[in-house]
Amino acid sequence: MSVHFKLKCLSCLCISYCFMIAPGCKDSAKSLPVSSASIGSSNNASRNSETEVVFTDLTAELHVEHPYRNGEEQNEFTYLEAMGGGLAVLDYDRDGWPDLFFPGGGLITESKTLTPIPGTLWRNDAGKDFANVSRPSNSDSVKFYSQGASAGDINNDGFPDLLVTGYGGLQLFVNQGEGTFLELAASFGLDNALWSTSAGFGDFDNDGFLDLYVANYVDWSWEKNPECKSSVGIREICPPGAYKGLQDVIFMNNGNGSFRSVTSEVGLVAEGKGLGVVCADFNQDSKLDVYVANDAVNNFLYVNQGSGKFEEQGIASGTALDERGTSNGSMGVSVLDFDGDLRPDLWVCNYENETFALYKNDGNSNFRHVTSSTGITALGTLFVAFGTVAADFDSDGDEDIVVANGHVLRFPPGNTVDQFPLLLLNNGRGKLTRQQFGPSTYFGRKWRGRGVAGFDFDRDGDMDLVMSNVNQLAAILENQTKTKGKWCSLELIGRKSNRDCIGARIVFRTDKKSYLRNIVGGGSYLSQNPYLVHCAFPFDEELRQTEITWPDGTAQVVDNLRVNEFNQMVEPRL
């Protein structure tokens, strides 16, 4: 979806751009409490029935009020304004209920300075309400214009820590385990001062501690702030081609409360324009790989070589370009097994005049661009797609996809700034189709969407949504779909492995089919989904066993996970 229009760059003498904003031992399972809410039912019971997914906006009822601010009211048309903000889902107080953190963004003053806005942390009160605990938790400390958020237990103490990215540095909020955080990025060695966007935690060397991949974007500053105009002479946000890309950074965890930068040692490409990051084991060799969605330049697939090195195989793997051999304005990313072949596929959100990219995993780090054959091209090319999440929203066994859309331009020719979000339903036979919604629903209205995450905030067994928008309120959408599907939720707790078990893969085997789920770091856009595994399957199937491959490759078979409940598995020490 690359859109071409003329821009006059007054300070860099450019006249036109292609604008692309941007399996061994058995063990027992522990069942955790589940809320008394039950899954709804309807007459649509078969696997591929046309179940209508219903989302209800409960933001006001849950008392969540967070608008991400980008400062555009000052009319400086800075490149920062285009990116928006994301979010992170984390159970910061470990009470079993997923909480939410939103970066705040920033304002621009008349003197061309950036005024940071604090992020907000919202504590989930048993799925009935959310309370703003930003100040008492000390998570409202802010040092820069923030955009992204990620979460992970960096010290294996059982409490998730919080990373915030943006223009001006990184902030690391270390969870103290009693409801508060300390901001310790500097003392922990996270010294990246470049414009950071998405980030993903993952144990790249399998030493049991979470490392960190940070995507850096472009070299923008007030001194490098060209004035751009559209072909009709209107002041407009500049395209990414007006700026030099930056190199990403990898921080390795020393295991002692500090990180070290290994960027120069591991084999990263010298320049990219990273907007999306996902850390996943794509070739299933129990070494965590990294995929980076870049803006208007080739996307990266870093294949972990297992010796502290990565090999960039974007072109060789088929994941760097689209089916025409063109680099896209890529932003949001998600991992799913869309075709049920038990391999992790890759979904990438792109800019307008480009198609979404669905890369089918053929094994051995080889992928095929299958957007056309899966029906995705029917969506058209008007969407500017950002955050995305794959999950089984209709509880029929296969993973569906949600996308948040919204333009980066202030006055997009032939398009709108606010855009419809998308729900793409998987029919289980290799096709993804858009579900239409009525005008009174969240999906039936246009938004300036950015971050997305899927989470079961009320613990009733289906996947709900949280969406962040630019200069609009974030939204929490409850899944009220009526199905007769079953579900199983599973939390893995690492002991040899990192505590979040990022890099693990789980295969749920019923009497009829097998379902793959992966625990990944990063994903979506500027956002982090929970590490809790959710799998649904049709009502006429019985769960027989679950195969867990822990991050270090150790396999375990469990035959006593409870259906329609939350389960917890602790990694055995072998």
mmCIF file with all atom_site columns, all heavy atoms in Angstrom, residues 441-458:
data_model
loop_
_atom_site.group_PDB
_atom_site.id
_atom_site.type_symbol
_atom_site.label_atom_id
_atom_site.label_alt_id
_atom_site.label_comp_id
_atom_site.label_asym_id
_atom_site.label_entity_id
_atom_site.label_seq_id
_atom_site.pdbx_PDB_ins_code
_atom_site.Cartn_x
_atom_site.Cartn_y
_atom_site.Cartn_z
_atom_site.occupancy
_atom_site.B_iso_or_equiv
_atom_site.pdbx_formal_charge
_atom_site.auth_seq_id
_atom_site.auth_comp_id
_atom_site.auth_asym_id
_atom_site.auth_atom_id
_atom_site.pdbx_PDB_model_num
ATOM 1   N N   . THR A 1 441 ? -21.499 0.515   16.861 1.00 0.00 ? 441 THR A N   1
ATOM 2   C CA  . THR A 1 441 ? -20.468 -0.267  17.532 1.00 0.00 ? 441 THR A CA  1
ATOM 3   C C   . THR A 1 441 ? -19.105 0.395   17.387 1.00 0.00 ? 441 THR A C   1
ATOM 4   O O   . THR A 1 441 ? -18.898 1.270   16.533 1.00 0.00 ? 441 THR A O   1
ATOM 5   C CB  . THR A 1 441 ? -20.390 -1.679  16.939 1.00 0.00 ? 441 THR A CB  1
ATOM 6   O OG1 . THR A 1 441 ? -19.928 -1.602  15.580 1.00 0.00 ? 441 THR A OG1 1
ATOM 7   C CG2 . THR A 1 441 ? -21.752 -2.360  16.960 1.00 0.00 ? 441 THR A CG2 1
ATOM 8   N N   . TYR A 1 442 ? -18.150 -0.036  18.204 1.00 0.00 ? 442 TYR A N   1
ATOM 9   C CA  . TYR A 1 442 ? -16.794 0.513   18.113 1.00 0.00 ? 442 TYR A CA  1
ATOM 10  C C   . TYR A 1 442 ? -16.196 0.220   16.746 1.00 0.00 ? 442 TYR A C   1
ATOM 11  O O   . TYR A 1 442 ? -15.604 1.100   16.116 1.00 0.00 ? 442 TYR A O   1
ATOM 12  C CB  . TYR A 1 442 ? -15.912 -0.068  19.215 1.00 0.00 ? 442 TYR A CB  1
ATOM 13  C CG  . TYR A 1 442 ? -14.537 0.558   19.270 1.00 0.00 ? 442 TYR A CG  1
ATOM 14  C CD1 . TYR A 1 442 ? -14.296 1.675   20.074 1.00 0.00 ? 442 TYR A CD1 1
ATOM 15  C CD2 . TYR A 1 442 ? -13.477 0.059   18.513 1.00 0.00 ? 442 TYR A CD2 1
ATOM 16  C CE1 . TYR A 1 442 ? -13.036 2.266   20.123 1.00 0.00 ? 442 TYR A CE1 1
ATOM 17  C CE2 . TYR A 1 442 ? -12.212 0.647   18.558 1.00 0.00 ? 442 TYR A CE2 1
ATOM 18  C CZ  . TYR A 1 442 ? -12.010 1.746   19.352 1.00 0.00 ? 442 TYR A CZ  1
ATOM 19  O OH  . TYR A 1 442 ? -10.767 2.334   19.393 1.00 0.00 ? 442 TYR A OH  1
ATOM 20  N N   . PHE A 1 443 ? -16.347 -1.008  16.254 1.00 0.00 ? 443 PHE A N   1
ATOM 21  C CA  . PHE A 1 443 ? -15.793 -1.381  14.960 1.00 0.00 ? 443 PHE A CA  1
ATOM 22  C C   . PHE A 1 443 ? -16.560 -0.750  13.799 1.00 0.00 ? 443 PHE A C   1
ATOM 23  O O   . PHE A 1 443 ? -16.063 -0.747  12.671 1.00 0.00 ? 443 PHE A O   1
ATOM 24  C CB  . PHE A 1 443 ? -15.779 -2.906  14.807 1.00 0.00 ? 443 PHE A CB  1
ATOM 25  C CG  . PHE A 1 443 ? -14.578 -3.567  15.426 1.00 0.00 ? 443 PHE A CG  1
ATOM 26  C CD1 . PHE A 1 443 ? -14.522 -3.790  16.798 1.00 0.00 ? 443 PHE A CD1 1
ATOM 27  C CD2 . PHE A 1 443 ? -13.501 -3.953  14.651 1.00 0.00 ? 443 PHE A CD2 1
ATOM 28  C CE1 . PHE A 1 443 ? -13.422 -4.395  17.378 1.00 0.00 ? 443 PHE A CE1 1
ATOM 29  C CE2 . PHE A 1 443 ? -12.387 -4.555  15.221 1.00 0.00 ? 443 PHE A CE2 1
ATOM 30  C CZ  . PHE A 1 443 ? -12.351 -4.779  16.589 1.00 0.00 ? 443 PHE A CZ  1
ATOM 31  N N   . GLY A 1 444 ? -17.732 -0.238  14.057 1.00 0.00 ? 444 GLY A N   1
ATOM 32  C CA  . GLY A 1 444 ? -18.521 0.416   13.029 1.00 0.00 ? 444 GLY A CA  1
ATOM 33  C C   . GLY A 1 444 ? -18.276 1.905   12.937 1.00 0.00 ? 444 GLY A C   1
ATOM 34  O O   . GLY A 1 444 ? -18.938 2.595   12.155 1.00 0.00 ? 444 GLY A O   1
ATOM 35  N N   . ARG A 1 445 ? -17.331 2.428   13.735 1.00 0.00 ? 445 ARG A N   1
ATOM 36  C CA  . ARG A 1 445 ? -16.983 3.839   13.709 1.00 0.00 ? 445 ARG A CA  1
ATOM 37  C C   . ARG A 1 445 ? -15.492 3.988   13.421 1.00 0.00 ? 445 ARG A C   1
ATOM 38  O O   . ARG A 1 445 ? -14.707 3.071   13.638 1.00 0.00 ? 445 ARG A O   1
ATOM 39  C CB  . ARG A 1 445 ? -17.340 4.515   15.044 1.00 0.00 ? 445 ARG A CB  1
ATOM 40  C CG  . ARG A 1 445 ? -18.806 4.447   15.390 1.00 0.00 ? 445 ARG A CG  1
ATOM 41  C CD  . ARG A 1 445 ? -19.177 5.421   16.506 1.00 0.00 ? 445 ARG A CD  1
ATOM 42  N NE  . ARG A 1 445 ? -18.439 5.189   17.726 1.00 0.00 ? 445 ARG A NE  1
ATOM 43  C CZ  . ARG A 1 445 ? -18.782 4.314   18.670 1.00 0.00 ? 445 ARG A CZ  1
ATOM 44  N NH1 . ARG A 1 445 ? -19.870 3.570   18.507 1.00 0.00 ? 445 ARG A NH1 1
ATOM 45  N NH2 . ARG A 1 445 ? -18.066 4.166   19.765 1.00 0.00 ? 445 ARG A NH2 1
ATOM 46  N N   . LYS A 1 446 ? -15.128 5.154   12.947 1.00 0.00 ? 446 LYS A N   1
ATOM 47  C CA  . LYS A 1 446 ? -13.740 5.404   12.585 1.00 0.00 ? 446 LYS A CA  1
ATOM 48  C C   . LYS A 1 446 ? -12.970 6.004   13.767 1.00 0.00 ? 446 LYS A C   1
ATOM 49  O O   . LYS A 1 446 ? -13.511 6.806   14.533 1.00 0.00 ? 446 LYS A O   1
ATOM 50  C CB  . LYS A 1 446 ? -13.661 6.352   11.385 1.00 0.00 ? 446 LYS A CB  1
ATOM 51  C CG  . LYS A 1 446 ? -14.191 5.743   10.087 1.00 0.00 ? 446 LYS A CG  1
ATOM 52  C CD  . LYS A 1 446 ? -14.035 6.721   8.927  1.00 0.00 ? 446 LYS A CD  1
ATOM 53  C CE  . LYS A 1 446 ? -14.491 6.101   7.616  1.00 0.00 ? 446 LYS A CE  1
ATOM 54  N NZ  . LYS A 1 446 ? -14.292 7.030   6.467  1.00 0.00 ? 446 LYS A NZ  1
ATOM 55  N N   . TRP A 1 447 ? -11.702 5.616   13.854 1.00 0.00 ? 447 TRP A N   1
ATOM 56  C CA  . TRP A 1 447 ? -10.832 6.067   14.921 1.00 0.00 ? 447 TRP A CA  1
ATOM 57  C C   . TRP A 1 447 ? -9.445  6.359   14.354 1.00 0.00 ? 447 TRP A C   1
ATOM 58  O O   . TRP A 1 447 ? -9.088  5.887   13.286 1.00 0.00 ? 447 TRP A O   1
ATOM 59  C CB  . TRP A 1 447 ? -10.710 5.009   16.016 1.00 0.00 ? 447 TRP A CB  1
ATOM 60  C CG  . TRP A 1 447 ? -12.036 4.578   16.566 1.00 0.00 ? 447 TRP A CG  1
ATOM 61  C CD1 . TRP A 1 447 ? -12.829 3.571   16.082 1.00 0.00 ? 447 TRP A CD1 1
ATOM 62  C CD2 . TRP A 1 447 ? -12.740 5.161   17.655 1.00 0.00 ? 447 TRP A CD2 1
ATOM 63  N NE1 . TRP A 1 447 ? -13.975 3.482   16.828 1.00 0.00 ? 447 TRP A NE1 1
ATOM 64  C CE2 . TRP A 1 447 ? -13.962 4.446   17.801 1.00 0.00 ? 447 TRP A CE2 1
ATOM 65  C CE3 . TRP A 1 447 ? -12.459 6.206   18.533 1.00 0.00 ? 447 TRP A CE3 1
ATOM 66  C CZ2 . TRP A 1 447 ? -14.880 4.743   18.782 1.00 0.00 ? 447 TRP A CZ2 1
ATOM 67  C CZ3 . TRP A 1 447 ? -13.390 6.516   19.523 1.00 0.00 ? 447 TRP A CZ3 1
ATOM 68  C CH2 . TRP A 1 447 ? -14.576 5.788   19.641 1.00 0.00 ? 447 TRP A CH2 1
ATOM 69  N N   . ARG A 1 448 ? -8.672  7.057   15.129 1.00 0.00 ? 448 ARG A N   1
ATOM 70  C CA  . ARG A 1 448 ? -7.276  7.281   14.766 1.00 0.00 ? 448 ARG A CA  1
ATOM 71  C C   . ARG A 1 448 ? -6.440  6.264   15.549 1.00 0.00 ? 448 ARG A C   1
ATOM 72  O O   . ARG A 1 448 ? -5.762  6.574   16.511 1.00 0.00 ? 448 ARG A O   1
ATOM 73  C CB  . ARG A 1 448 ? -6.875  8.716   15.102 1.00 0.00 ? 448 ARG A CB  1
ATOM 74  C CG  . ARG A 1 448 ? -5.630  9.213   14.388 1.00 0.00 ? 448 ARG A CG  1
ATOM 75  C CD  . ARG A 1 448 ? -5.478  10.693  14.650 1.00 0.00 ? 448 ARG A CD  1
ATOM 76  N NE  . ARG A 1 448 ? -4.262  11.223  14.070 1.00 0.00 ? 448 ARG A NE  1
ATOM 77  C CZ  . ARG A 1 448 ? -3.879  12.492  14.211 1.00 0.00 ? 448 ARG A CZ  1
ATOM 78  N NH1 . ARG A 1 448 ? -4.636  13.331  14.907 1.00 0.00 ? 448 ARG A NH1 1
ATOM 79  N NH2 . ARG A 1 448 ? -2.756  12.906  13.667 1.00 0.00 ? 448 ARG A NH2 1
ATOM 80  N N   . GLY A 1 449 ? -6.534  5.002   15.121 1.00 0.00 ? 449 GLY A N   1
ATOM 81  C CA  . GLY A 1 449 ? -6.014  3.895   15.897 1.00 0.00 ? 449 GLY A CA  1
ATOM 82  C C   . GLY A 1 449 ? -4.514  3.728   15.820 1.00 0.00 ? 449 GLY A C   1
ATOM 83  O O   . GLY A 1 449 ? -3.869  4.055   14.820 1.00 0.00 ? 449 GLY A O   1
ATOM 84  N N   . ARG A 1 450 ? -3.956  3.181   16.895 1.00 0.00 ? 450 ARG A N   1
ATOM 85  C CA  . ARG A 1 450 ? -2.536  2.865   16.947 1.00 0.00 ? 450 ARG A CA  1
ATOM 86  C C   . ARG A 1 450 ? -2.312  1.519   17.658 1.00 0.00 ? 450 ARG A C   1
ATOM 87  O O   . ARG A 1 450 ? -2.209  0.506   17.043 1.00 0.00 ? 450 ARG A O   1
ATOM 88  C CB  . ARG A 1 450 ? -1.747  3.993   17.640 1.00 0.00 ? 450 ARG A CB  1
ATOM 89  C CG  . ARG A 1 450 ? -1.651  5.281   16.831 1.00 0.00 ? 450 ARG A CG  1
ATOM 90  C CD  . ARG A 1 450 ? -0.949  5.122   15.506 1.00 0.00 ? 450 ARG A CD  1
ATOM 91  N NE  . ARG A 1 450 ? -0.734  6.405   14.821 1.00 0.00 ? 450 ARG A NE  1
ATOM 92  C CZ  . ARG A 1 450 ? -1.559  6.907   13.924 1.00 0.00 ? 450 ARG A CZ  1
ATOM 93  N NH1 . ARG A 1 450 ? -2.689  6.269   13.611 1.00 0.00 ? 450 ARG A NH1 1
ATOM 94  N NH2 . ARG A 1 450 ? -1.272  8.058   13.331 1.00 0.00 ? 450 ARG A NH2 1
ATOM 95  N N   . GLY A 1 451 ? -2.210  1.488   18.977 1.00 0.00 ? 451 GLY A N   1
ATOM 96  C CA  . GLY A 1 451 ? -1.893  0.248   19.680 1.00 0.00 ? 451 GLY A CA  1
ATOM 97  C C   . GLY A 1 451 ? -3.094  -0.651  19.898 1.00 0.00 ? 451 GLY A C   1
ATOM 98  O O   . GLY A 1 451 ? -4.224  -0.164  20.037 1.00 0.00 ? 451 GLY A O   1
ATOM 99  N N   . VAL A 1 452 ? -2.848  -1.965  19.937 1.00 0.00 ? 452 VAL A N   1
ATOM 100 C CA  . VAL A 1 452 ? -3.892  -2.962  20.202 1.00 0.00 ? 452 VAL A CA  1
ATOM 101 C C   . VAL A 1 452 ? -3.296  -4.085  21.028 1.00 0.00 ? 452 VAL A C   1
ATOM 102 O O   . VAL A 1 452 ? -2.146  -4.491  20.813 1.00 0.00 ? 452 VAL A O   1
ATOM 103 C CB  . VAL A 1 452 ? -4.457  -3.566  18.897 1.00 0.00 ? 452 VAL A CB  1
ATOM 104 C CG1 . VAL A 1 452 ? -5.512  -4.623  19.214 1.00 0.00 ? 452 VAL A CG1 1
ATOM 105 C CG2 . VAL A 1 452 ? -5.052  -2.514  18.000 1.00 0.00 ? 452 VAL A CG2 1
ATOM 106 N N   . ALA A 1 453 ? -4.065  -4.624  21.947 1.00 0.00 ? 453 ALA A N   1
ATOM 107 C CA  . ALA A 1 453 ? -3.689  -5.855  22.649 1.00 0.00 ? 453 ALA A CA  1
ATOM 108 C C   . ALA A 1 453 ? -4.948  -6.660  22.928 1.00 0.00 ? 453 ALA A C   1
ATOM 109 O O   . ALA A 1 453 ? -6.037  -6.107  23.108 1.00 0.00 ? 453 ALA A O   1
ATOM 110 C CB  . ALA A 1 453 ? -2.946  -5.555  23.953 1.00 0.00 ? 453 ALA A CB  1
ATOM 111 N N   . GLY A 1 454 ? -4.799  -7.968  22.954 1.00 0.00 ? 454 GLY A N   1
ATOM 112 C CA  . GLY A 1 454 ? -5.895  -8.859  23.319 1.00 0.00 ? 454 GLY A CA  1
ATOM 113 C C   . GLY A 1 454 ? -5.663  -9.409  24.717 1.00 0.00 ? 454 GLY A C   1
ATOM 114 O O   . GLY A 1 454 ? -4.549  -9.826  25.053 1.00 0.00 ? 454 GLY A O   1
ATOM 115 N N   . PHE A 1 455 ? -6.700  -9.384  25.541 1.00 0.00 ? 455 PHE A N   1
ATOM 116 C CA  . PHE A 1 455 ? -6.568  -9.911  26.904 1.00 0.00 ? 455 PHE A CA  1
ATOM 117 C C   . PHE A 1 455 ? -7.950  -10.238 27.444 1.00 0.00 ? 455 PHE A C   1
ATOM 118 O O   . PHE A 1 455 ? -8.961  -9.682  27.016 1.00 0.00 ? 455 PHE A O   1
ATOM 119 C CB  . PHE A 1 455 ? -5.842  -8.917  27.802 1.00 0.00 ? 455 PHE A CB  1
ATOM 120 C CG  . PHE A 1 455 ? -6.625  -7.676  28.195 1.00 0.00 ? 455 PHE A CG  1
ATOM 121 C CD1 . PHE A 1 455 ? -6.580  -7.196  29.491 1.00 0.00 ? 455 PHE A CD1 1
ATOM 122 C CD2 . PHE A 1 455 ? -7.377  -6.958  27.268 1.00 0.00 ? 455 PHE A CD2 1
ATOM 123 C CE1 . PHE A 1 455 ? -7.264  -6.045  29.867 1.00 0.00 ? 455 PHE A CE1 1
ATOM 124 C CE2 . PHE A 1 455 ? -8.068  -5.807  27.626 1.00 0.00 ? 455 PHE A CE2 1
ATOM 125 C CZ  . PHE A 1 455 ? -8.016  -5.354  28.939 1.00 0.00 ? 455 PHE A CZ  1
ATOM 126 N N   . ASP A 1 456 ? -8.015  -11.176 28.356 1.00 0.00 ? 456 ASP A N   1
ATOM 127 C CA  . ASP A 1 456 ? -9.277  -11.581 28.960 1.00 0.00 ? 456 ASP A CA  1
ATOM 128 C C   . ASP A 1 456 ? -9.408  -10.841 30.285 1.00 0.00 ? 456 ASP A C   1
ATOM 129 O O   . ASP A 1 456 ? -9.104  -11.377 31.349 1.00 0.00 ? 456 ASP A O   1
ATOM 130 C CB  . ASP A 1 456 ? -9.291  -13.100 29.158 1.00 0.00 ? 456 ASP A CB  1
ATOM 131 C CG  . ASP A 1 456 ? -10.626 -13.623 29.668 1.00 0.00 ? 456 ASP A CG  1
ATOM 132 O OD1 . ASP A 1 456 ? -11.558 -12.805 29.845 1.00 0.00 ? 456 ASP A OD1 1
ATOM 133 O OD2 . ASP A 1 456 ? -10.718 -14.841 29.893 1.00 0.00 ? 456 ASP A OD2 1
ATOM 134 N N   . PHE A 1 457 ? -9.862  -9.578  30.216 1.00 0.00 ? 457 PHE A N   1
ATOM 135 C CA  . PHE A 1 457 ? -9.825  -8.729  31.400 1.00 0.00 ? 457 PHE A CA  1
ATOM 136 C C   . PHE A 1 457 ? -10.792 -9.202  32.478 1.00 0.00 ? 457 PHE A C   1
ATOM 137 O O   . PHE A 1 457 ? -10.569 -8.971  33.678 1.00 0.00 ? 457 PHE A O   1
ATOM 138 C CB  . PHE A 1 457 ? -10.097 -7.259  31.039 1.00 0.00 ? 457 PHE A CB  1
ATOM 139 C CG  . PHE A 1 457 ? -11.546 -6.893  30.903 1.00 0.00 ? 457 PHE A CG  1
ATOM 140 C CD1 . PHE A 1 457 ? -12.290 -6.503  32.004 1.00 0.00 ? 457 PHE A CD1 1
ATOM 141 C CD2 . PHE A 1 457 ? -12.176 -6.935  29.665 1.00 0.00 ? 457 PHE A CD2 1
ATOM 142 C CE1 . PHE A 1 457 ? -13.633 -6.161  31.880 1.00 0.00 ? 457 PHE A CE1 1
ATOM 143 C CE2 . PHE A 1 457 ? -13.506 -6.597  29.527 1.00 0.00 ? 457 PHE A CE2 1
ATOM 144 C CZ  . PHE A 1 457 ? -14.243 -6.214  30.636 1.00 0.00 ? 457 PHE A CZ  1
ATOM 145 N N   . ASP A 1 458 ? -11.901 -9.869  32.085 1.00 0.00 ? 458 ASP A N   1
ATOM 146 C CA  . ASP A 1 458 ? -12.891 -10.308 33.058 1.00 0.00 ? 458 ASP A CA  1
ATOM 147 C C   . ASP A 1 458 ? -12.813 -11.797 33.361 1.00 0.00 ? 458 ASP A C   1
ATOM 148 O O   . ASP A 1 458 ? -13.660 -12.335 34.074 1.00 0.00 ? 458 ASP A O   1
ATOM 149 C CB  . ASP A 1 458 ? -14.303 -9.948  32.582 1.00 0.00 ? 458 ASP A CB  1
ATOM 150 C CG  . ASP A 1 458 ? -14.584 -10.400 31.151 1.00 0.00 ? 458 ASP A CG  1
ATOM 151 O OD1 . ASP A 1 458 ? -13.698 -11.057 30.544 1.00 0.00 ? 458 ASP A OD1 1
ATOM 152 O OD2 . ASP A 1 458 ? -15.672 -10.083 30.630 1.00 0.00 ? 458 ASP A OD2 1
#
